[in-house]
Amino acid sequence: MNWRKWLDEFVLAGKGILLATKEKRFWVGFIIAFLFFGTLMNLLSGGFSKFELMGMVGFGGSMKIIGDALLGVFGINMIFLEWLPVFSLAWLQGILIGLIVLLWHKRRISNGKESTNSANVEKAGIITGLIALGAGCPTCGTTLLTPLLGALFSTGGLAMVGVISGIVTALAIIIAILSLKRLGEETYVIIVNEKYMKRKKEERGESI
């Protein structure tokens, strides 16, 4: 019985996300977040090495590195197994931020619930941190955890990197999906209620 309730909630959240895609503000938040986080994850795929390289090659070289990371979001010059998790996580993060931007706007013009919005932004920040920490090259096991675990456990830490980064990334995905479920439901309720109130106003206007 409980799984049916969860299934219904996910279906409702999916409807909410579909309704959100008809709003311009959703796409503004989605595109910016998708490109930003996808590029950031590609830059972090080798730890901080690309940032160190950017400090050595100057402005032109740095722009090329950033440009390559941006193109990598769309799979250009990327190995499929390295590209897929980056694309998927950036896509989830984009939807999450898009929904937050849309809900923020709709609450602001209605009754405004800033505490809820702040909680959503906070949760998005946690997901971003987990994604960045676990992001890396799946085939070579390079993540931001490498220098940390290497310093703590020497060679033993390096052997743990792949497993722990996988757990961290999985945790980020689970939190993102649960957040999308709740935000999708809220979006559905707000948009449907908004349409209902608009229709009622139009009916009252016609009857006057």
Side-chain angles (χ1 to χ4, degrees):
M1 193 69 179
N2 196 29
W3 67 267
R4 288 184 179 177
K5 179 175 176 288
W6 268 72
L7 181 60
D8 289 340
E9 289 174 350
F10 272 107
V11 170
L12 192 66
K15 290 180 179 178
I17 293 172
L18 285 176
L19 288 174
T21 60
K22 298 177 181 179
E23 304 274 348
K24 290 181 180 178
R25 279 183 174 80
F26 168 82
W27 286 109
V28 171
F30 171 83
I31 291 171
I32 293 173
F34 172 70
L35 294 177
F36 175 78
F37 288 109
T39 302
L40 180 62
M41 282 188 284
N42 281 330
L43 289 173
L44 292 172
S45 62
F48 292 106
S49 59
K50 289 183 181 177
F51 288 97
E52 292 172 357
L53 182 60
M54 287 168 61
M56 295 164 51
V57 297
F59 180 78
S62 297
M63 289 298 102
K64 185 180 185 309
I65 292 172
I66 294 173
D68 289 341
L70 177 60
L71 292 175
V73 178
F74 303 98
I76 299 174
N77 298 324
M78 289 279 289
I79 298 171
F80 180 75
L81 289 178
E82 294 179 14
W83 167 78
L84 186 59
V86 170
F87 180 83
S88 301
L89 290 170
W91 188 267
L92 283 174
Q93 188 73 5
I95 295 174
L96 183 63
I97 296 298
L99 290 176
I100 290 173
V101 169
L102 180 61
L103 286 172
W104 203 316
H105 170 71
K106 289 192 175 295
R107 288 198 184 110
R108 193 170 53 112
I109 61 176
S110 56
N111 56 1
K113 295 180 180 178
E114 295 193 9
S115 60
T116 305
N117 287 324
S118 298
N120 289 335
V121 173
E122 205 171 292
K123 192 168 290 185
I126 293 172
I127 295 169
T128 301
L130 289 173
I131 288 174
L133 193 62
C137 168
T139 56
C140 64
T142 303
T143 71
L144 291 183
L145 292 169
T146 302
L148 176 61
L149 293 179
L152 292 176
F153 302 105
S154 187
T155 55
L158 298 178
M160 296 167 58
V161 168
V163 176
I164 295 180
S165 65
I167 293 172
V168 171
T169 302
L171 182 61
I173 292 174
I174 291 170
I175 295 174
I177 290 173
L178 292 177
S179 298
L180 287 175
K181 171 182 165 294
R182 189 169 64 82
L183 289 173
E185 289 178 288
E186 290 180 26
T187 302
Y188 179 82
V189 171
I190 287 178
I191 292 179
V192 169
N193 181 65
E194 188 179 74
K195 288 181 178 180
Y196 173 78
M197 296 302 294
K198 184 179 179 181
R199 189 167 63 249
K200 281 295 182 183
K201 285 181 180 179
E202 289 174 352
E203 288 175 358
R204 284 199 297 268
E206 289 174 1
S207 61
I208 293 174

